[in-house]
Protein backbone atom coordinates (compact mmCIF):
# COMPACT_ATOMS: atom_id res chain seq x y z
CA UNK A 1 0.00 0.00 0.00
CA UNK A 2 2.89 2.36 -0.72
CA UNK A 3 0.58 4.42 -2.94
CA UNK A 4 -2.23 4.68 -0.40
CA UNK A 5 -2.34 8.47 -0.82
CA UNK A 6 -3.81 7.89 -4.30
CA UNK A 7 -6.88 6.32 -2.67
CA UNK A 8 -7.47 9.19 -0.27
CA UNK A 9 -9.98 12.01 -0.54
CA UNK A 10 -8.88 14.28 2.28
CA UNK A 11 -12.03 15.78 3.76
CA UNK A 12 -13.22 18.84 5.66
CA UNK A 13 -16.99 18.79 6.15
CA UNK A 14 -17.27 19.97 9.75
CA UNK A 15 -19.89 22.69 10.28
CA UNK A 16 -17.32 25.05 11.79
CA UNK A 17 -14.93 24.91 8.81
CA UNK A 18 -13.34 28.26 7.94
CA UNK A 19 -11.26 29.53 5.03
CA UNK A 20 -7.99 28.57 6.71
CA UNK A 21 -9.21 24.96 6.94
CA UNK A 22 -9.73 24.91 3.18
CA UNK A 23 -6.31 26.41 2.53
CA UNK A 24 -4.71 23.83 4.82
CA UNK A 25 -6.68 21.04 3.13
CA UNK A 26 -5.41 21.98 -0.32
CA UNK A 27 -1.88 22.44 0.95
CA UNK A 28 -1.93 18.95 2.49
CA UNK A 29 -3.32 17.47 -0.72
CA UNK A 30 -0.44 18.99 -2.67
CA UNK A 31 2.16 17.91 -0.14
CA UNK A 32 0.95 14.32 0.23
CA UNK A 33 -0.31 13.87 -3.33
CA UNK A 34 -3.84 12.91 -2.32
CA UNK A 35 -6.19 11.87 -5.09
CA UNK A 36 -8.71 14.49 -4.09
CA UNK A 37 -10.27 16.73 -1.47
CA UNK A 38 -13.89 16.95 -0.34
CA UNK A 39 -15.27 20.32 0.77
CA UNK A 40 -18.67 21.84 1.57
CA UNK A 41 -20.46 23.45 -1.42
CA UNK A 42 -19.86 26.91 0.05
CA UNK A 43 -16.10 26.46 -0.30
CA UNK A 44 -15.90 24.93 -3.79
CA UNK A 45 -14.92 28.15 -5.56
CA UNK A 46 -12.14 28.90 -3.10
CA UNK A 47 -10.85 25.33 -3.19
CA UNK A 48 -10.79 25.43 -6.99
CA UNK A 49 -8.68 28.59 -6.92
CA UNK A 50 -6.32 27.11 -4.33
CA UNK A 51 -5.86 23.88 -6.32
CA UNK A 52 -4.87 25.76 -9.45
CA UNK A 53 -3.32 23.44 -12.03
CA UNK A 54 -2.58 20.61 -9.61
CA UNK A 55 -3.99 17.15 -10.43
CA UNK A 56 -6.32 17.06 -7.42
CA UNK A 57 -9.95 16.03 -7.79
CA UNK A 58 -12.33 18.55 -6.23
CA UNK A 59 -15.27 16.81 -4.57
CA UNK A 60 -18.30 18.32 -2.91
CA UNK A 61 -21.53 17.10 -1.37
CA UNK A 62 -25.19 17.42 -2.36
CA UNK A 63 -28.25 16.78 -0.20
CA UNK A 64 -25.87 16.59 2.73
CA UNK A 65 -26.04 15.12 5.32
CA UNK A 66 -29.59 13.70 5.51
CA UNK A 67 -30.62 13.31 1.88
CA UNK A 68 -34.28 14.22 2.27
CA UNK A 69 -34.12 17.38 0.16
CA UNK A 70 -36.36 17.46 -2.88
CA UNK A 71 -34.94 16.22 -6.17
CA UNK A 72 -35.22 19.71 -7.65
CA UNK A 73 -33.03 21.03 -4.83
CA UNK A 74 -30.42 18.33 -5.39
CA UNK A 75 -30.39 19.04 -9.12
CA UNK A 76 -29.86 22.76 -8.47
CA UNK A 77 -27.12 22.04 -5.92
CA UNK A 78 -25.38 19.78 -8.43
CA UNK A 79 -25.60 22.36 -11.20
CA UNK A 80 -24.15 25.06 -8.94
CA UNK A 81 -21.37 22.80 -7.67
CA UNK A 82 -20.30 21.93 -11.22
CA UNK A 83 -20.50 25.59 -12.25
CA UNK A 84 -18.28 26.50 -9.30
CA UNK A 85 -15.64 23.95 -10.28
CA UNK A 86 -16.46 20.60 -8.68
CA UNK A 87 -15.11 17.53 -10.48
CA UNK A 88 -17.09 14.99 -8.46
CA UNK A 89 -20.44 15.02 -6.66
CA UNK A 90 -21.17 12.98 -3.53
CA UNK A 91 -24.96 12.98 -3.22
CA UNK A 92 -26.89 11.62 -0.25
CA UNK A 93 -29.68 9.50 -1.65
CA UNK A 94 -33.24 9.72 -0.34
CA UNK A 95 -33.14 7.27 2.54
CA UNK A 96 -36.60 8.40 3.60
CA UNK A 97 -38.07 7.49 0.19
CA UNK A 98 -36.19 4.20 0.15
CA UNK A 99 -37.44 3.23 3.60
CA UNK A 100 -40.96 4.09 2.44
CA UNK A 101 -40.69 1.54 -0.37
CA UNK A 102 -40.86 4.12 -3.15
CA UNK A 103 -39.23 3.85 -6.58
CA UNK A 104 -38.25 7.51 -6.32
CA UNK A 105 -34.62 7.03 -5.22
CA UNK A 106 -33.76 5.39 -8.55
CA UNK A 107 -35.54 8.12 -10.51
CA UNK A 108 -33.76 10.83 -8.52
CA UNK A 109 -30.33 9.25 -8.86
CA UNK A 110 -30.80 8.68 -12.57
CA UNK A 111 -31.54 12.40 -12.99
CA UNK A 112 -28.45 13.45 -11.02
CA UNK A 113 -26.36 10.86 -12.84
CA UNK A 114 -27.50 12.13 -16.22
CA UNK A 115 -26.66 15.71 -15.25
CA UNK A 116 -23.19 14.77 -13.96
CA UNK A 117 -22.29 12.65 -16.96
CA UNK A 118 -23.50 15.29 -19.41
CA UNK A 119 -20.92 17.58 -17.78
CA UNK A 120 -18.27 14.82 -17.64
CA UNK A 121 -18.37 14.73 -13.85
CA UNK A 122 -18.27 11.73 -11.52
CA UNK A 123 -21.23 10.84 -9.30
CA UNK A 124 -20.87 9.04 -5.99
CA UNK A 125 -23.96 8.09 -3.97
CA UNK A 126 -23.93 8.03 -0.17
CA UNK A 127 -26.31 5.27 0.95
CA UNK A 128 -25.55 5.65 4.70
CA UNK A 129 -24.95 1.98 5.52
CA UNK A 130 -25.41 2.39 9.28
CA UNK A 131 -29.15 2.88 8.72
CA UNK A 132 -29.50 -0.18 6.46
CA UNK A 133 -29.67 -3.93 6.91
CA UNK A 134 -27.47 -6.15 4.75
CA UNK A 135 -30.46 -6.85 2.49
CA UNK A 136 -31.15 -3.12 2.18
CA UNK A 137 -27.49 -2.43 1.34
CA UNK A 138 -27.71 -4.88 -1.55
CA UNK A 139 -30.98 -3.33 -2.68
CA UNK A 140 -29.40 0.13 -2.49
CA UNK A 141 -26.47 -1.07 -4.60
CA UNK A 142 -28.88 -2.45 -7.19
CA UNK A 143 -30.67 0.90 -7.37
CA UNK A 144 -27.37 2.73 -7.79
CA UNK A 145 -26.27 0.41 -10.60
CA UNK A 146 -29.59 0.80 -12.39
CA UNK A 147 -29.34 4.60 -12.05
CA UNK A 148 -25.91 4.63 -13.71
CA UNK A 149 -23.82 6.01 -10.85
CA UNK A 150 -20.02 5.80 -10.75
CA UNK A 151 -19.44 4.98 -7.07
CA UNK A 152 -21.42 3.85 -4.06
CA UNK A 153 -20.25 5.49 -0.82
CA UNK A 154 -20.86 4.13 2.67
CA UNK A 155 -21.39 7.13 4.90
CA UNK A 156 -21.64 10.85 5.49
CA UNK A 157 -19.67 10.68 8.72
CA UNK A 158 -22.67 12.18 10.55
CA UNK A 159 -24.50 8.89 11.23
CA UNK A 160 -23.92 6.70 14.33
CA UNK A 161 -21.41 4.50 12.46
CA UNK A 162 -19.19 4.83 9.41
CA UNK A 163 -17.47 2.39 7.07
CA UNK A 164 -17.50 -1.24 8.17
CA UNK A 165 -15.35 -3.98 6.65
CA UNK A 166 -18.25 -6.41 6.21
CA UNK A 167 -20.29 -3.76 4.38
CA UNK A 168 -17.45 -3.11 1.93
CA UNK A 169 -17.10 -6.84 1.33
CA UNK A 170 -20.84 -7.16 0.79
CA UNK A 171 -20.95 -4.23 -1.61
CA UNK A 172 -17.94 -5.40 -3.60
CA UNK A 173 -19.38 -8.88 -3.96
CA UNK A 174 -22.55 -7.44 -5.51
CA UNK A 175 -21.42 -4.38 -7.47
CA UNK A 176 -20.01 -4.77 -10.99
CA UNK A 177 -16.37 -3.82 -11.53
CA UNK A 178 -17.54 -0.69 -13.37
CA UNK A 179 -18.98 0.76 -10.15
CA UNK A 180 -16.48 1.80 -7.51
CA UNK A 181 -16.78 1.93 -3.74
CA UNK A 182 -15.89 4.87 -1.51
CA UNK A 183 -15.41 3.94 2.13
CA UNK A 184 -15.93 6.85 4.49
CA UNK A 185 -16.86 7.61 8.07
CA UNK A 186 -14.60 6.95 11.04
CA UNK A 187 -11.47 5.97 9.10
CA UNK A 188 -8.69 7.22 11.35
CA UNK A 189 -5.60 5.05 10.82
CA UNK A 190 -3.53 3.11 8.32
CA UNK A 191 -4.69 -0.37 9.31
CA UNK A 192 -8.34 0.60 8.84
CA UNK A 193 -7.66 2.12 5.43
CA UNK A 194 -5.62 -0.85 4.19
CA UNK A 195 -8.22 -3.32 5.45
CA UNK A 196 -11.01 -1.50 3.61
CA UNK A 197 -9.01 -1.21 0.39
CA UNK A 198 -8.19 -4.91 0.46
CA UNK A 199 -11.90 -5.60 0.97
CA UNK A 200 -12.74 -3.69 -2.21
CA UNK A 201 -12.79 0.05 -1.52
CA UNK A 202 -11.50 2.18 -4.40
CA UNK A 203 -11.57 5.47 -2.50
CA UNK A 204 -11.04 6.38 1.15
CA UNK A 205 -12.86 9.45 2.45
CA UNK A 206 -11.20 10.68 5.63
CA UNK A 207 -10.12 13.73 7.57
CA UNK A 208 -7.09 11.74 8.80
CA UNK A 209 -5.23 11.35 5.50
CA UNK A 210 -2.10 13.08 6.78
CA UNK A 211 -1.94 10.83 9.85
CA UNK A 212 -2.49 7.75 7.68
CA UNK A 213 0.38 8.71 5.38
CA UNK A 214 2.66 9.51 8.30
CA UNK A 215 1.95 6.05 9.73
CA UNK A 216 3.06 4.52 6.45
CA UNK A 217 6.27 6.52 6.59
CA UNK A 218 8.43 7.88 3.86
CA UNK A 219 5.67 10.07 2.34
Amino acid sequence: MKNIQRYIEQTVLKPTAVDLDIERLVSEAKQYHFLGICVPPFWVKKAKREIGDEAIQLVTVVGFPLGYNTTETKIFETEQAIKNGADEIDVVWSITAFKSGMNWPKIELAKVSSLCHAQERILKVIIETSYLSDAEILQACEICVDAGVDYVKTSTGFAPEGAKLRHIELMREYLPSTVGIKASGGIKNLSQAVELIKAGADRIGTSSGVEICKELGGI
Side-chain angles (χ1 to χ4, degrees), residues 11 14-15 24 32 51 53 63 83 99 103 119 126 130 144 160 168 190 193 197 199 206 211:
T11 301
K14 60 185 180 182
R24 186 181 304 112
Y32 291 93
I51 289 171
D53 295 329
K83 180 180 177 181
K99 289 284 189 179
N103 191 46
Q119 298 294 324
I126 307 171
S130 69
C144 287
I168 298 298
L190 178 62
I197 291 168
T206 180
E211 291 77 11

Side-chain angles (χ1 to χ4, degrees), residues 2-12 23-38 51 54-59 87-88 190 193 203-216 219:
K2 291 183 179 180
N3 65 337
I4 196 167
Q5 71 273 18
R6 300 308 298 164
Y7 288 84
I8 291 175
E9 292 178 22
Q10 181 75 336
T11 301
V12 168
E23 291 170 12
R24 186 181 304 112
L25 181 71
V26 175
S27 177
E28 290 170 348
K30 292 178 179 179
Q31 179 181 353
Y32 291 93
H33 306 288
F34 293 135
L35 175 68
I37 61 169
C38 186
I51 289 171
E54 296 287 334
I56 299 169
Q57 292 296 101
L58 178 52
V59 187
D87 301 303
E88 304 186 7
L190 178 62
R203 300 279 190 93
I204 298 293
T206 180
S207 58
S208 301
V210 172
E211 291 77 11
I212 289 170
C213 288
K214 284 182 177 178
E215 269 193 82
L216 187 60
I219 297 179

Side-chain angles (χ1 to χ4, degrees), residues 56-208:
I56 299 169
Q57 292 296 101
L58 178 52
V59 187
T60 195
V61 290
V62 163
F64 196 84
L66 301 176
Y68 51 29
N69 317 58
T70 63
T71 300
E72 293 80 5
T73 299
K74 290 179 182 178
I75 291 292
F76 180 76
E77 282 188 83
T78 301
E79 290 172 338
Q80 290 300 112
I82 292 172
K83 180 180 177 181
N84 290 340
D87 301 303
E88 304 186 7
I89 302 296
D90 287 14
V91 63
V92 185
W93 80 325
S94 184
I95 305 168
T96 187
F98 174 73
K99 289 284 189 179
S100 298
M102 297 178 179
N103 191 46
W104 192 252
K106 180 159 64 176
I107 297 170
E108 177 175 276
L109 293 180
K111 289 182 177 184
V112 180
S113 178
S114 178
L115 171 59
C116 287
H117 294 158
Q119 298 294 324
E120 299 183 340
R121 300 305 197 272
I122 287 175
L123 175 64
K124 302 196 287 291
V125 175
I126 307 171
I127 61 173
E128 202 70 280
T129 49
S130 69
Y131 295 137
L132 306 177
S133 67
D134 286 1
E136 287 175 325
I137 290 173
L138 291 178
Q139 189 179 354
C141 287
E142 181 179 7
I143 289 170
C144 287
V145 171
D146 289 346
V149 313
D150 300 295
Y151 288 81
V152 181
K153 178 179 172 181
T154 58
S155 321
T156 59
F158 286 74
E161 292 182 325
K164 298 295 180 184
L165 178 64
R166 66 183 183 87
H167 290 158
I168 298 298
E169 292 173 335
L170 184 67
M171 292 161 68
R172 188 68 281 164
E173 184 178 349
Y174 177 82
L175 289 168
S177 59
T178 52
V179 179
I181 296 172
K182 179 177 175 181
S184 62
I187 304 171
K188 300 294 184 184
N189 57 56
L190 178 62
S191 62
Q192 278 180 294
V194 171
E195 188 177 51
L196 292 166
I197 291 168
K198 287 183 176 179
D202 303 283
R203 300 279 190 93
I204 298 293
T206 180
S207 58
S208 301

